[in-house]
Amino acid sequence: MDRELSRRHLLKLAAAGAGAAALSPRLVQRAWAQELPPLPKKDTYTVGFCQTGSNNPWRLAETKSMQDEAAKRGYKLIATDANEDTAKQIADVASVIAQRPDILIFPPRESGPLAPSVLQAKQAGIPVILIDRDVEHDVAMPGRDYITFIGSDFVDQGRRAAEWLIGATGGNARIIELEGTTGADPAIDRKQGFDELILGGSFKGTPVATPVAGMQILASQTGNFTRNEGRQVMETLLQAHPDVTAVYAHNDEMAIGAIAALEAAGRKPGQDVILVSIDGENDAIQAIVDGKLGATVESSPFFGPIAFDTMLKYANGEDLPDWVVVVDRFFDKSNAAEFVGKQY
Ligand code: GYE
């Protein structure tokens, strides 16, 4: 057992109010069994990276960021692509574990089904860092079962989108919400943050917002984070709700799809229908400049540098937070021009 890691664990026990000296040997033994797998200090690492798919610019940018950074540092990447199929990602993780990388760094496509995969890696003695999407903490816990989650505050992203939309519509809108992949952490949280602000609600029993009287959500349906499904779902919902005046899409690709559906139906995105989304890809920045998309909350796909830096901190025995929060910018017509073609 790495001494630095042992120290980290004891610090945690102490922080939890359980002094190590007060623990019976059996309890200590059980605590060790819960230890995160260690990561030795080495000159080079073999890193497992199980991507969810390659069906949008965000995913491609994330994969490239991991590949580029691994190449720069001379690390070997064992990469898989689940083709946006959760069952395949579960199988991919299992097969990468069998190849015994030093560490597994990956985005779990769905937060429930991939949680056991994290435990599987831990059992095999392979430490895990989750990037961009998290798993359910009642099954797998950061700091206990995996090192940490590196990613954005998705609830806050949803809130920021709602705040902007309330401002842009003067607090009066009939909204269609295009949700991300069902069961994906960002889809769940982006809906929660947005809906809470618009409709009012509570978080763990505490009221967080009162409804905005003039804002209503006409329909909320998944478009699977893709442009094509965003367009198709928007086409269908537009027929059922021709009185729509705003769209909130959980990512840019679906917003771009919705813009196409609106234009095909003779509507004027940016004028009679106001759109807001999340990510900050090139096409979205351009759509803002063109006056079709109102704003997008940034969600960065560039995880390579921060993922490997975090990995090295772990190898060095540094105490890490359970969540490494990625801070996001915001793009609207006030700043979009300076980012044209500079994103991904
Ligand atoms: O917003 C979306 C992608 O998990 C944060 O997944 C990520 C999201 C991102 O497909 O475009």
Side-chain angles (χ1 to χ4, degrees):
M1 187 63 56
D2 185 288
R3 276 182 63 209
E4 286 304 312
L5 289 180
S6 310
R7 197 183 58 82
R8 180 181 178 213
H9 189 79
L10 285 174
L11 279 175
K12 283 204 164 175
L13 285 175
L23 291 174
S24 75
R26 243 187 82 225
L27 270 178
V28 169
Q29 214 176 21
R30 210 182 303 152
W32 289 134
Q34 297 202 343
E35 182 77 60
L36 286 165
L39 181 68
K41 284 193 209 181
K42 289 169 43 170
D43 288 339
T44 185
Y45 289 94
T46 300
V47 179
F49 173 61
C50 301
Q51 181 55 286
T52 64
S54 305
N55 63 348
N56 75 40
W58 198 100
R59 291 281 132 210
L60 294 173
E62 182 183 53
T63 301
K64 186 171 183 316
S65 174
M66 290 295 288
Q67 282 167 343
D68 288 354
E69 196 62 22
K72 203 169 120 189
R73 297 177 187 227
Y75 299 163
K76 186 177 168 221
L77 211 59
I78 305 176
T80 58
D81 183 337
N83 250 316
E84 292 303 331
D85 176 344
T86 297
K88 178 164 183 334
Q89 196 185 29
I90 293 169
D92 286 347
V93 171
S95 88
V96 171
I97 289 172
Q99 296 172 60
R100 310 237 30 106
D102 295 304
I103 189 168
L104 198 58
I105 304 179
F106 77 103
R109 183 171 188 271
E110 289 181 62
S111 59
L114 267 304
S117 302
V118 170
L119 300 181
Q120 210 184 328
K122 180 190 178 188
Q123 235 158 30
I126 299 167
V128 173
I129 292 176
L130 296 180
I131 52 168
D132 116 47
R133 294 186 188 177
D134 204 354
V135 290
E136 281 173 13
H137 289 183
D138 50 359
V139 180
M141 258 184 30
R144 186 191 72 189
D145 301 315
Y146 58 104
I147 298 168
T148 188
F149 165 62
I150 310 175
S152 297
D153 184 337
F154 303 125
V155 175
D156 193 56
Q157 290 177 338
R159 263 189 223 130
R160 292 172 75 191
E163 269 165 17
W164 181 88
L165 194 61
I166 292 167
T169 61
N172 274 294
R174 289 182 296 276
I175 307 159
I176 286 177
E177 179 171 352
L178 299 175
E179 301 170 21
T181 301
T182 306
D185 174 41
I188 297 164
D189 287 359
R190 286 172 183 171
K191 180 169 180 61
Q192 185 193 318
F194 182 88
D195 289 15
E196 261 172 17
L197 208 84
I198 301 289
L199 306 173
S202 63
F203 186 64
K204 292 183 177 161
T206 313
V208 291
T210 45
V212 182
M215 309 283 288
Q216 49 168 310
I217 299 175
L218 301 173
S220 184
Q221 208 174 298
T222 183
N224 238 327
F225 277 137
T226 69
R227 188 179 291 210
N228 218 6
E229 283 180 69
R231 183 180 48 76
Q232 287 167 7
V233 172
M234 190 65 204
E235 264 167 25
T236 309
L237 291 178
L238 201 49
Q239 281 169 15
H241 305 282
D243 56 337
V244 60
T245 62
V247 172
Y248 164 47
H250 289 189
N251 79 345
D252 289 343
E253 282 293 287
M254 293 189 295
I256 308 276
I259 287 172
L262 286 163
E263 287 180 329
R267 307 294 295 270
K268 291 202 162 45
Q271 291 171 39
D272 57 3
V273 180
I274 307 296
L275 293 98
V276 62
S277 61
I278 297 170
D279 272 354
E281 64 176 41
N282 275 330
D283 285 358
I285 300 288
Q286 187 60 51
I288 294 175
V289 171
D290 294 344
K292 295 179 179 180
L293 178 64
T296 185
V297 184
E298 183 181 37
S299 197
S300 171
F302 301 116
F303 283 95
I306 193 169
F308 294 131
D309 283 351
T310 305
M311 176 188 93
L312 291 182
K313 283 185 185 168
Y314 182 68
N316 283 332
E318 285 177 42
D319 210 11
L320 290 166
D322 290 345
W323 177 15
V324 178
V325 186
V326 174
V327 179
D328 302 311
R329 295 171 294 180
F330 191 87
F331 307 108
D332 63 8
K333 66 174 188 301
S334 73
N335 63 350
E338 45 180 296
F339 294 98
V340 169
K342 293 193 180 135
Q343 297 288 98
Y344 51 92

Short mmCIF file of all heavy atoms in Angstrom, two decimals, residues 52 55-59 62 84 107-109 131-133 152 154 157 181 184-187 190 224-226 250-253 278-279 281 299-301 303 344, ligand 1:
data_model
loop_
_atom_site.label_atom_id
_atom_site.label_comp_id
_atom_site.label_asym_id
_atom_site.label_seq_id
_atom_site.Cartn_x
_atom_site.Cartn_y
_atom_site.Cartn_z
N THR A 52 -18.03 7.58 -24.87
CA THR A 52 -19.44 7.18 -25.06
C THR A 52 -19.79 7.05 -26.54
O THR A 52 -20.64 6.26 -26.92
CB THR A 52 -20.41 8.21 -24.45
OG1 THR A 52 -20.26 9.46 -25.15
CG2 THR A 52 -20.14 8.43 -22.98
N ASN A 55 -20.51 11.02 -31.95
CA ASN A 55 -21.56 11.53 -32.83
C ASN A 55 -21.80 13.03 -32.74
O ASN A 55 -22.80 13.53 -33.25
CB ASN A 55 -22.87 10.78 -32.55
CG ASN A 55 -23.36 11.02 -31.14
OD1 ASN A 55 -22.62 11.55 -30.31
ND2 ASN A 55 -24.59 10.66 -30.86
N ASN A 56 -20.93 13.75 -32.07
CA ASN A 56 -21.08 15.21 -32.11
C ASN A 56 -19.73 15.89 -31.87
O ASN A 56 -18.79 15.27 -31.37
CB ASN A 56 -22.20 15.70 -31.16
CG ASN A 56 -21.82 15.68 -29.69
OD1 ASN A 56 -20.70 16.03 -29.33
ND2 ASN A 56 -22.75 15.28 -28.85
N PRO A 57 -19.61 17.16 -32.26
CA PRO A 57 -18.31 17.84 -32.16
C PRO A 57 -17.76 17.85 -30.74
O PRO A 57 -16.53 17.83 -30.55
CB PRO A 57 -18.62 19.28 -32.63
CG PRO A 57 -19.90 19.18 -33.38
CD PRO A 57 -20.65 18.02 -32.82
N TRP A 58 -18.65 17.90 -29.77
CA TRP A 58 -18.21 17.92 -28.37
C TRP A 58 -17.43 16.65 -28.04
O TRP A 58 -16.34 16.70 -27.47
CB TRP A 58 -19.44 18.06 -27.46
CG TRP A 58 -19.13 18.51 -26.07
CD1 TRP A 58 -19.25 19.78 -25.57
CD2 TRP A 58 -18.66 17.70 -24.97
NE1 TRP A 58 -18.88 19.81 -24.25
CE2 TRP A 58 -18.52 18.55 -23.86
CE3 TRP A 58 -18.34 16.36 -24.84
CZ2 TRP A 58 -18.09 18.09 -22.62
CZ3 TRP A 58 -17.90 15.89 -23.59
CH2 TRP A 58 -17.78 16.77 -22.50
N ARG A 59 -18.01 15.50 -28.40
CA ARG A 59 -17.36 14.20 -28.13
C ARG A 59 -16.02 14.13 -28.85
O ARG A 59 -15.03 13.65 -28.30
CB ARG A 59 -18.23 13.04 -28.63
CG ARG A 59 -19.49 12.82 -27.86
CD ARG A 59 -19.27 12.08 -26.56
NE ARG A 59 -19.98 12.78 -25.51
CZ ARG A 59 -19.62 12.81 -24.24
NH1 ARG A 59 -18.55 12.17 -23.83
NH2 ARG A 59 -20.30 13.49 -23.36
N GLU A 62 -13.46 16.20 -27.12
CA GLU A 62 -13.01 15.59 -25.87
C GLU A 62 -12.00 14.47 -26.15
O GLU A 62 -10.94 14.39 -25.52
CB GLU A 62 -14.19 15.04 -25.08
CG GLU A 62 -13.75 14.43 -23.76
CD GLU A 62 -14.89 13.80 -22.99
OE1 GLU A 62 -15.61 12.96 -23.56
OE2 GLU A 62 -15.07 14.15 -21.81
N GLU A 84 -22.43 5.40 -28.52
CA GLU A 84 -23.64 5.84 -27.80
C GLU A 84 -24.55 4.67 -27.42
O GLU A 84 -25.78 4.76 -27.49
CB GLU A 84 -24.41 6.90 -28.61
CG GLU A 84 -23.66 8.23 -28.73
CD GLU A 84 -23.29 8.85 -27.39
OE1 GLU A 84 -24.00 8.64 -26.39
OE2 GLU A 84 -22.25 9.56 -27.33
N PRO A 107 -15.89 9.06 -19.33
CA PRO A 107 -17.20 9.65 -19.06
C PRO A 107 -18.28 8.56 -19.08
O PRO A 107 -18.54 7.97 -20.13
CB PRO A 107 -17.41 10.60 -20.25
CG PRO A 107 -16.59 10.02 -21.36
CD PRO A 107 -15.59 9.08 -20.78
N PRO A 108 -18.92 8.26 -17.95
CA PRO A 108 -19.98 7.25 -17.96
C PRO A 108 -21.22 7.77 -18.70
O PRO A 108 -21.76 8.81 -18.35
CB PRO A 108 -20.29 7.05 -16.47
CG PRO A 108 -19.82 8.29 -15.80
CD PRO A 108 -18.71 8.85 -16.62
N ARG A 109 -21.64 7.04 -19.74
CA ARG A 109 -22.74 7.53 -20.58
C ARG A 109 -24.02 7.76 -19.75
O ARG A 109 -24.66 8.79 -19.84
CB ARG A 109 -23.03 6.54 -21.70
CG ARG A 109 -24.09 7.00 -22.66
CD ARG A 109 -24.18 6.09 -23.88
NE ARG A 109 -25.08 6.68 -24.86
CZ ARG A 109 -26.38 6.46 -24.90
NH1 ARG A 109 -26.93 5.65 -24.00
NH2 ARG A 109 -27.14 7.04 -25.81
N ILE A 131 -14.60 11.74 -15.90
CA ILE A 131 -14.60 13.08 -16.49
C ILE A 131 -15.92 13.31 -17.21
O ILE A 131 -16.54 12.39 -17.71
CB ILE A 131 -13.42 13.29 -17.49
CG1 ILE A 131 -13.39 12.17 -18.54
CG2 ILE A 131 -12.09 13.37 -16.77
CD1 ILE A 131 -12.46 12.45 -19.71
N ASP A 132 -16.36 14.52 -17.22
CA ASP A 132 -17.51 15.07 -17.96
C ASP A 132 -18.88 14.54 -17.54
O ASP A 132 -19.85 15.28 -17.56
CB ASP A 132 -17.21 15.04 -19.48
CG ASP A 132 -18.09 14.16 -20.37
OD1 ASP A 132 -19.30 14.20 -20.24
OD2 ASP A 132 -17.51 13.52 -21.24
N ARG A 133 -19.01 13.29 -17.13
CA ARG A 133 -20.26 12.80 -16.56
C ARG A 133 -19.96 11.99 -15.30
O ARG A 133 -18.94 11.32 -15.24
CB ARG A 133 -21.01 11.90 -17.56
CG ARG A 133 -21.50 12.64 -18.77
CD ARG A 133 -22.37 11.78 -19.67
NE ARG A 133 -22.66 12.50 -20.90
CZ ARG A 133 -23.33 12.02 -21.92
NH1 ARG A 133 -23.83 10.79 -21.86
NH2 ARG A 133 -23.54 12.75 -23.00
N SER A 152 -18.32 19.97 -15.09
CA SER A 152 -19.06 21.20 -14.85
C SER A 152 -20.15 21.02 -13.80
O SER A 152 -20.56 19.90 -13.49
CB SER A 152 -19.74 21.64 -16.15
OG SER A 152 -18.78 21.95 -17.13
N PHE A 154 -23.63 21.09 -13.68
CA PHE A 154 -24.70 21.04 -14.68
C PHE A 154 -25.99 21.70 -14.19
O PHE A 154 -26.74 22.27 -14.97
CB PHE A 154 -24.99 19.59 -15.09
CG PHE A 154 -23.78 18.87 -15.63
CD1 PHE A 154 -23.37 17.67 -15.08
CD2 PHE A 154 -23.06 19.38 -16.70
CE1 PHE A 154 -22.26 16.99 -15.57
CE2 PHE A 154 -21.95 18.72 -17.21
CZ PHE A 154 -21.55 17.52 -16.64
N GLN A 157 -25.53 25.24 -14.82
CA GLN A 157 -25.66 25.53 -16.26
C GLN A 157 -27.15 25.71 -16.62
O GLN A 157 -27.51 26.64 -17.35
CB GLN A 157 -25.07 24.40 -17.10
CG GLN A 157 -23.55 24.29 -17.03
CD GLN A 157 -23.03 23.10 -17.82
OE1 GLN A 157 -23.75 22.14 -18.08
NE2 GLN A 157 -21.76 23.15 -18.18
N THR A 181 -29.46 12.88 -23.38
CA THR A 181 -29.62 11.43 -23.24
C THR A 181 -30.25 11.07 -21.90
O THR A 181 -29.76 11.47 -20.84
CB THR A 181 -28.24 10.75 -23.36
OG1 THR A 181 -27.69 11.10 -24.63
CG2 THR A 181 -28.35 9.24 -23.22
N ALA A 184 -28.40 10.31 -18.44
CA ALA A 184 -27.06 10.91 -18.39
C ALA A 184 -27.06 12.02 -17.35
O ALA A 184 -27.98 12.84 -17.30
CB ALA A 184 -26.66 11.47 -19.75
N ASP A 185 -26.01 12.03 -16.55
CA ASP A 185 -25.89 13.01 -15.47
C ASP A 185 -26.16 14.45 -15.93
O ASP A 185 -26.97 15.17 -15.30
CB ASP A 185 -24.48 12.82 -14.88
CG ASP A 185 -24.11 13.83 -13.85
OD1 ASP A 185 -24.96 14.17 -13.03
OD2 ASP A 185 -22.95 14.26 -13.86
N PRO A 186 -25.55 14.94 -17.02
CA PRO A 186 -25.82 16.33 -17.41
C PRO A 186 -27.26 16.56 -17.85
O PRO A 186 -27.81 17.66 -17.65
CB PRO A 186 -24.86 16.58 -18.58
CG PRO A 186 -24.38 15.25 -19.02
CD PRO A 186 -24.49 14.33 -17.85
N ALA A 187 -27.92 15.56 -18.40
CA ALA A 187 -29.32 15.73 -18.81
C ALA A 187 -30.21 15.88 -17.58
O ALA A 187 -31.11 16.73 -17.53
CB ALA A 187 -29.77 14.54 -19.67
N ARG A 190 -29.17 19.36 -15.86
CA ARG A 190 -29.51 20.56 -16.64
C ARG A 190 -31.01 20.78 -16.63
O ARG A 190 -31.49 21.91 -16.69
CB ARG A 190 -29.00 20.40 -18.08
CG ARG A 190 -27.50 20.58 -18.18
CD ARG A 190 -26.95 20.24 -19.54
NE ARG A 190 -25.49 20.35 -19.53
CZ ARG A 190 -24.69 19.97 -20.50
NH1 ARG A 190 -25.20 19.45 -21.61
NH2 ARG A 190 -23.39 20.11 -20.40
N ASN A 224 -31.65 13.24 -27.27
CA ASN A 224 -30.45 12.42 -27.20
C ASN A 224 -29.13 13.14 -27.44
O ASN A 224 -28.16 12.52 -27.87
CB ASN A 224 -30.57 11.29 -28.23
CG ASN A 224 -30.47 9.96 -27.54
OD1 ASN A 224 -29.75 9.82 -26.55
ND2 ASN A 224 -31.17 8.99 -28.07
N PHE A 225 -29.10 14.42 -27.22
CA PHE A 225 -27.87 15.23 -27.39
C PHE A 225 -27.41 15.29 -28.85
O PHE A 225 -26.26 15.65 -29.10
CB PHE A 225 -26.72 14.67 -26.53
CG PHE A 225 -26.70 15.12 -25.08
CD1 PHE A 225 -26.43 14.22 -24.05
CD2 PHE A 225 -26.91 16.45 -24.74
CE1 PHE A 225 -26.39 14.62 -22.72
CE2 PHE A 225 -26.87 16.87 -23.41
CZ PHE A 225 -26.61 15.95 -22.41
N THR A 226 -28.27 14.89 -29.82
CA THR A 226 -27.81 14.92 -31.22
C THR A 226 -28.60 15.92 -32.06
O THR A 226 -29.78 16.20 -31.79
CB THR A 226 -27.89 13.54 -31.91
OG1 THR A 226 -29.27 13.20 -32.09
CG2 THR A 226 -27.18 12.46 -31.11
N HIS A 250 -30.60 21.09 -24.13
CA HIS A 250 -29.53 20.70 -23.19
C HIS A 250 -28.15 20.69 -23.84
O HIS A 250 -27.16 20.54 -23.14
CB HIS A 250 -29.80 19.32 -22.59
CG HIS A 250 -30.93 19.29 -21.61
ND1 HIS A 250 -31.20 18.19 -20.83
CD2 HIS A 250 -31.87 20.21 -21.28
CE1 HIS A 250 -32.26 18.44 -20.06
NE2 HIS A 250 -32.69 19.66 -20.32
N ASN A 251 -28.09 20.77 -25.18
CA ASN A 251 -26.78 21.02 -25.80
C ASN A 251 -26.97 21.75 -27.14
O ASN A 251 -28.08 21.85 -27.68
CB ASN A 251 -25.93 19.74 -25.94
CG ASN A 251 -26.31 18.86 -27.09
OD1 ASN A 251 -27.38 19.00 -27.68
ND2 ASN A 251 -25.44 17.91 -27.43
N ASP A 252 -25.85 22.26 -27.66
CA ASP A 252 -25.88 23.07 -28.88
C ASP A 252 -26.37 22.27 -30.09
O ASP A 252 -27.10 22.80 -30.93
CB ASP A 252 -24.47 23.59 -29.20
CG ASP A 252 -24.01 24.67 -28.25
OD1 ASP A 252 -24.87 25.25 -27.54
OD2 ASP A 252 -22.79 24.94 -28.21
N GLU A 253 -25.93 21.01 -30.19
CA GLU A 253 -26.31 20.22 -31.36
C GLU A 253 -27.83 20.15 -31.50
O GLU A 253 -28.38 20.30 -32.59
CB GLU A 253 -25.71 18.81 -31.24
CG GLU A 253 -24.25 18.75 -31.59
CD GLU A 253 -23.99 19.06 -33.07
OE1 GLU A 253 -24.29 18.19 -33.90
OE2 GLU A 253 -23.50 20.16 -33.38
N ILE A 278 -26.50 24.88 -24.37
CA ILE A 278 -25.30 24.66 -23.54
C ILE A 278 -24.21 23.98 -24.38
O ILE A 278 -24.54 23.10 -25.19
CB ILE A 278 -25.66 23.76 -22.32
CG1 ILE A 278 -26.68 24.48 -21.43
CG2 ILE A 278 -24.41 23.39 -21.51
CD1 ILE A 278 -27.30 23.62 -20.34
N ASP A 279 -22.98 24.37 -24.22
CA ASP A 279 -21.75 23.76 -24.76
C ASP A 279 -20.78 24.85 -25.24
O ASP A 279 -19.72 25.00 -24.68
CB ASP A 279 -21.97 22.76 -25.90
CG ASP A 279 -22.19 21.33 -25.38
OD1 ASP A 279 -22.07 21.11 -24.16
OD2 ASP A 279 -22.51 20.45 -26.20
N GLU A 281 -20.00 25.17 -28.91
CA GLU A 281 -19.28 24.68 -30.10
C GLU A 281 -19.29 25.75 -31.20
O GLU A 281 -20.08 26.71 -31.15
CB GLU A 281 -19.93 23.39 -30.61
CG GLU A 281 -21.35 23.59 -31.10
CD GLU A 281 -21.98 22.34 -31.70
OE1 GLU A 281 -21.78 21.25 -31.16
OE2 GLU A 281 -22.69 22.48 -32.72
N SER A 299 -19.76 24.53 -21.75
CA SER A 299 -19.46 23.26 -21.07
C SER A 299 -18.25 22.71 -21.81
O SER A 299 -18.38 22.19 -22.91
CB SER A 299 -20.66 22.31 -21.17
OG SER A 299 -20.55 21.26 -20.23
N SER A 300 -17.08 22.85 -21.23
CA SER A 300 -15.85 22.57 -21.97
C SER A 300 -15.60 21.08 -22.15
O SER A 300 -15.75 20.29 -21.21
CB SER A 300 -14.65 23.19 -21.23
OG SER A 300 -13.46 22.73 -21.83
N PRO A 301 -15.20 20.67 -23.37
CA PRO A 301 -14.84 19.27 -23.61
C PRO A 301 -13.33 19.01 -23.45
O PRO A 301 -12.88 17.89 -23.65
CB PRO A 301 -15.24 19.07 -25.07
CG PRO A 301 -15.05 20.41 -25.71
CD PRO A 301 -15.22 21.46 -24.63
N PHE A 303 -10.77 18.04 -21.61
CA PHE A 303 -10.43 17.41 -20.33
C PHE A 303 -9.01 16.87 -20.23
O PHE A 303 -8.57 16.50 -19.14
CB PHE A 303 -11.42 16.28 -20.02
CG PHE A 303 -12.75 16.79 -19.52
CD1 PHE A 303 -13.80 16.97 -20.39
CD2 PHE A 303 -12.92 17.10 -18.18
CE1 PHE A 303 -15.02 17.46 -19.94
CE2 PHE A 303 -14.13 17.59 -17.73
CZ PHE A 303 -15.18 17.77 -18.60
N TYR A 344 -14.74 24.43 -31.33
CA TYR A 344 -14.55 23.06 -31.81
C TYR A 344 -15.74 22.65 -32.65
O TYR A 344 -16.75 23.28 -32.58
CB TYR A 344 -14.37 22.08 -30.64
CG TYR A 344 -15.45 22.21 -29.59
CD1 TYR A 344 -16.60 21.42 -29.65
CD2 TYR A 344 -15.35 23.16 -28.56
CE1 TYR A 344 -17.61 21.56 -28.70
CE2 TYR A 344 -16.35 23.30 -27.61
CZ TYR A 344 -17.47 22.49 -27.69
OH TYR A 344 -18.45 22.64 -26.76
O1 GYE B 1 -22.87 18.81 -23.24
C1 GYE B 1 -22.99 17.10 -24.85
C2 GYE B 1 -22.41 15.77 -24.90
O2 GYE B 1 -21.52 15.05 -21.07
C3 GYE B 1 -21.17 17.33 -20.68
O3 GYE B 1 -22.48 15.36 -23.55
C4 GYE B 1 -21.33 16.27 -21.69
C5 GYE B 1 -22.43 16.49 -22.73
C6 GYE B 1 -22.28 17.65 -23.66
O4 GYE B 1 -22.94 14.86 -25.77
O5 GYE B 1 -22.87 17.87 -25.99
#
